[in-house]
Amino acid sequence: MELLGPREIAAFALSLLDLTNLRDDCDASAIETLCKRAQGPNGNTAAICIWPRFVAQARGILGTSNPVRIATVVNFPSGNLPVSEVVEETRKAITDGADEIDLVIPYSKFLGGDEVSVSEMVRAVRAACPDSCLKVILETGEIKDAALIRRASELAIAEGADFIKTSTGKVQVNATLEAADIMLQAIRDSRKKVGFKPAGGISTVADADLYLRLAETIMGANWLMPSTFRFGASGLLDDISAVLSGSTSPRASTGY
């Protein structure tokens, strides 16, 4: 990583990007645009991340052999739905064509001391999508406490998460390097093949580079790849494109 220049970092970040539209005003036209942007002149993003109601539309646009994967969210963003509803959400999303499920843990219950609710939720959704990539969102900006972030990471990993993810992008504090450090150490110490996804507020290539360097420091060289690392972002692609084109980098200013 230390030998890579801005353009190389930008191109690498592009390959790791879950290009996201989870805006409340997202519509069918926005999904068409998102699918096009995910397959740009500089290469493809790893995935798009969208509301469940748009999965079937996106699958129709991208087809069945497109390298851009379709991720969707369940129990999102509050984390407070019953397990049965979340399982049904998951099954429908898979039927509609989702490749990846981003699940919010019941973090409010967890903060109240209920670890079992987290384990039960992740276990049930894992069973509902056994062949799909499961990313478990901890909502670290709400959990806040380092020991609790570590514990939530351990619970998600123990129940079969393929990735652990920082945030929904819907709260005041989203991805932070401090939370990333804790989560990456939990992945390392688990000795399991689990990926990491920082999400929310990562809007520039310079931001992305900080997370990439941290991950490489903790996990070692050659760990970083789409099967182990993703960025959840909407604005990051603008800065990636600006860096790759050599134009002045704009700063995205909102949420994801």
Side-chain angles (χ1 to χ4, degrees), residues 76-158:
F76 188 95
S78 65
N80 61 11
L81 293 177
V83 171
S84 59
E85 287 189 31
V86 182
V87 166
E88 183 55 36
E89 269 190 318
T90 302
R91 288 175 175 160
K92 185 177 189 310
I94 298 300
T95 299
D96 285 349
D99 301 299
E100 304 179 353
I101 300 293
D102 288 29
L103 162 71
V104 183
I105 66 167
Y107 59 87
S108 294
K109 290 183 178 179
F110 176 69
L111 284 169
D114 184 359
E115 292 188 356
V116 173
S117 66
V118 176
S119 297
E120 288 180 344
M121 180 67 76
V122 178
R123 187 183 311 132
V125 174
R126 172 78 285 172
C129 60
D131 300 319
S132 304
C133 179
L134 175 61
K135 309 191 202 89
V136 177
I137 305 171
L138 307 185
E139 201 66 290
T140 53
E142 294 294 289
I143 295 176
K144 299 176 183 175
D145 181 79
L148 290 178
I149 293 171
R150 170 74 184 215
R151 183 60 181 151
S153 300
E154 291 170 346
L155 292 170
I157 291 168

Side-chain angles (χ1 to χ4, degrees), residues 33-49:
T33 299
L34 194 76
C35 290
K36 290 177 182 176
R37 294 189 71 219
Q39 306 169 90
N42 296 310
N44 295 337
T45 66
I48 58 170
C49 186

Side-chain angles (χ1 to χ4, degrees), residues 178-236:
E178 292 78 11
D181 187 34
I182 296 163
M183 294 168 71
L184 285 161
Q185 288 189 54
I187 291 170
R188 179 196 63 197
D189 295 347
S190 76
R191 299 182 182 275
K192 294 184 178 181
K193 187 181 178 183
V194 178
F196 173 65
K197 180 177 173 180
I202 301 168
S203 59
T204 69
V205 172
D207 292 337
D209 188 32
L210 293 174
Y211 285 91
L212 293 172
R213 290 177 186 279
L214 176 65
E216 187 174 62
T217 297
I218 294 171
M219 301 303 298
N222 304 317
W223 185 79
L224 290 163
M225 60 188 73
S227 61
T228 53
F229 193 101
R230 302 283 184 86
F231 290 108
S234 60
L236 179 57

Side-chain angles (χ1 to χ4, degrees), residues 2 9-10 14 23 27 44 74 83 104 110 130 138 172 191 196 215 224 226 232 237-238:
E2 65 274 4
I9 294 166
L14 176 64
R23 292 172 56 97
D27 58 16
N44 295 337
V74 298
V83 171
V104 183
F110 176 69
L138 307 185
Q172 187 172 0
R191 299 182 182 275
F196 173 65
L224 290 163
L237 182 57
D238 293 333

Side-chain angles (χ1 to χ4, degrees), residues 5-15 17 37 40-45 205 236-250:
R7 289 191 179 188
E8 290 82 5
I9 294 166
F12 190 37
L14 176 64
S15 74
L17 179 60
R37 294 189 71 219
N42 296 310
N44 295 337
T45 66
V205 172
L236 179 57
L237 182 57
D238 293 333
D239 199 60
I240 287 172
S241 298
V243 171
L244 290 175
S245 69
S247 64
T248 302
S249 300

